[in-house]
């Protein structure tokens, strides 16, 4: 018969998650110790496992809580009120830098988790991928659909196709960002400028195409 877990004390649970967020962000999943997390939260190690079951599930809970806080406090109008795709990227980048300052532990953990997903236990990585895909599907339409609807699309161009292309660009940038994060877990948004420059280039090509308005003379 499975052991019944102790009912969670909200204050203790919050302390555990806060300690886990900070320690996982600084040390990564592999190097973080549950003993250290328990000590920082002023609870027993046994209580940590009683509340969360395992180190992996504590990690998932901490990442989910970080994403929830960032999303709850994010001003989506930074994206949705942008006049075009390029200005949206610029505005969003500057805003992310400010979010990094305002919510350092949550931002750092979200970046660290994304960067080290390939080195996590499969069940943990799977749950994180579900969190990311769920958040993207939930938030992306609110953020970018208003901008897309203001675009002066040429005749015959489908908004659905543009959205799919933007999603593809986002996935490509995500992979490039992940590589930088894996190489330097302490990287800041400011240090990711080369990737951000690529984003602007990709968006420019997406908006204006690859061909000149008039064909070259032979």
């Amino acid at each position: 018969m499975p052991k019944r877990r102790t009912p969670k004390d909200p204050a203790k649970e919050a302390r555990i998650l806060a300690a886990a967020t900070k320690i996982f962000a600084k040390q990564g999943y592999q190097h973080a110790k549950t003993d250290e997390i328990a000590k920082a939260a002023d609870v027993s190690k046994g209580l940590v496992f009683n509340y969360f079951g395992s180190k992996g599930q504590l990690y998932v809970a901490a990442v989910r809580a970080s994403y929830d806080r960032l999303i709850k406090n994010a001003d989506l109008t930074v994206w949705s009120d942008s006049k075009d795709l390029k200005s949206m990227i610029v505005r969003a980048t500057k805003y992310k830098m400010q979010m990094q300052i305002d919510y350092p532990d949550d931002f750092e953990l979200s970046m660290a988790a994304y960067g080290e997903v390939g080195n996590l236990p499969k069940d943990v990585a799977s749950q994180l991928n579900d969190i990311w895909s769920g958040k993207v599907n939930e938030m992306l339409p609110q953020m970018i659909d208003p901008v897309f609807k203001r675009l002066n699309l040429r005749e015959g161009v489908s908004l659905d196709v543009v959205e799919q292309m933007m999603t593809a660009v986002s996935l490509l940038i995500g992979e490039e960002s992940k590589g930088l994060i894996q190489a330097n877990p302490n990287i800041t948004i400011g240090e990711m400028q080369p990737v951000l420059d690529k984003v602007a280039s990709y968006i420019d090509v997406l908006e204006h195409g690859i061909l000149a308005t008039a064909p070259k003379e032979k």
Side-chain angles (χ1 to χ4, degrees), residues 31-106:
H31 298 292
K33 306 296 183 185
T34 49
D35 307 70
E36 187 177 349
I37 292 171
K39 183 178 179 181
D42 193 26
V43 299
S44 68
K45 181 179 177 180
L47 189 68
V48 172
F49 285 112
N50 189 282
Y51 276 18
F52 295 95
S54 67
K55 177 182 175 181
Q57 291 311 303
L58 174 59
Y59 188 77
V60 170
V63 173
R64 181 182 287 111
S66 287
Y67 270 99
D68 286 345
R69 270 190 298 274
L70 289 172
I71 291 172
K72 178 182 178 182
N73 292 287
D75 179 6
L76 299 187
T77 63
V78 170
W79 286 262
S80 62
D81 286 356
S82 300
K83 64 179 181 179
D84 54 36
L85 298 180
K86 188 174 290 187
S87 65
M88 180 179 72
I89 295 297
V90 172
R91 282 160 55 98
T93 300
K94 291 179 179 178
Y95 185 66
K96 286 178 182 178
M97 291 178 182
Q98 187 60 50
M99 290 284 282
Q100 185 179 17
I101 294 171
D102 295 340
Y103 304 95
D105 292 336
D106 291 322

Side-chain angles (χ1 to χ4, degrees), residues 6 20 22 33 37 40 43 57 61 64 67 72 81 91 93 105 130 141 147 152 157 164 176 183-184 195 204 211 214:
T6 304
K22 185 178 292 290
K33 306 296 183 185
I37 292 171
V43 299
Q57 291 311 303
R64 181 182 287 111
Y67 270 99
K72 178 182 178 182
D81 286 356
R91 282 160 55 98
T93 300
D105 292 336
D130 287 344
V147 181
N152 184 24
V157 174
Q164 290 169 16
E176 294 187 15
N184 178 12
V195 172
D204 184 66
L211 301 178

Side-chain angles (χ1 to χ4, degrees), residues 42-216:
D42 193 26
V43 299
S44 68
K45 181 179 177 180
L47 189 68
V48 172
F49 285 112
N50 189 282
Y51 276 18
F52 295 95
S54 67
K55 177 182 175 181
Q57 291 311 303
L58 174 59
Y59 188 77
V60 170
V63 173
R64 181 182 287 111
S66 287
Y67 270 99
D68 286 345
R69 270 190 298 274
L70 289 172
I71 291 172
K72 178 182 178 182
N73 292 287
D75 179 6
L76 299 187
T77 63
V78 170
W79 286 262
S80 62
D81 286 356
S82 300
K83 64 179 181 179
D84 54 36
L85 298 180
K86 188 174 290 187
S87 65
M88 180 179 72
I89 295 297
V90 172
R91 282 160 55 98
T93 300
K94 291 179 179 178
Y95 185 66
K96 286 178 182 178
M97 291 178 182
Q98 187 60 50
M99 290 284 282
Q100 185 179 17
I101 294 171
D102 295 340
Y103 304 95
D105 292 336
D106 291 322
F107 206 97
E108 189 171 359
L109 178 58
S110 66
M111 291 182 69
Y114 188 71
E116 69 175 349
V117 67
N119 298 319
L120 298 174
K122 288 185 178 180
D123 63 321
V124 174
S126 176
Q127 290 179 73
L128 291 184
N129 283 324
D130 287 344
I131 292 172
W132 291 323
S133 62
K135 297 301 181 186
V136 167
N137 291 334
E138 175 188 349
M139 304 300 296
L140 205 57
Q142 301 176 54
M143 296 162 67
I144 66 176
D145 279 6
V147 181
F148 284 165
K149 290 176 181 177
R150 286 194 291 273
L151 297 178
N152 184 24
L153 299 178
R154 65 179 172 81
E155 186 176 352
V157 174
S158 165
L159 185 59
D160 288 340
V161 171
V162 178
E163 290 179 344
Q164 290 169 16
M165 292 177 69
M166 277 293 292
T167 300
V169 169
S170 297
L171 291 173
L172 175 61
I173 293 302
E175 288 303 307
E176 294 187 15
S177 299
K178 183 164 66 175
L180 289 178
I181 295 168
Q182 288 174 334
N184 178 12
N186 298 315
I187 195 170
T188 65
I189 289 293
E191 292 172 321
M192 296 177 73
Q193 190 60 46
V195 172
L196 301 176
D197 291 340
K198 280 190 178 182
V199 173
S201 298
Y202 293 156
I203 298 303
D204 184 66
V205 171
L206 179 61
E207 287 186 312
H208 303 107
I210 62 172
L211 301 178
T213 54
K216 290 182 178 179

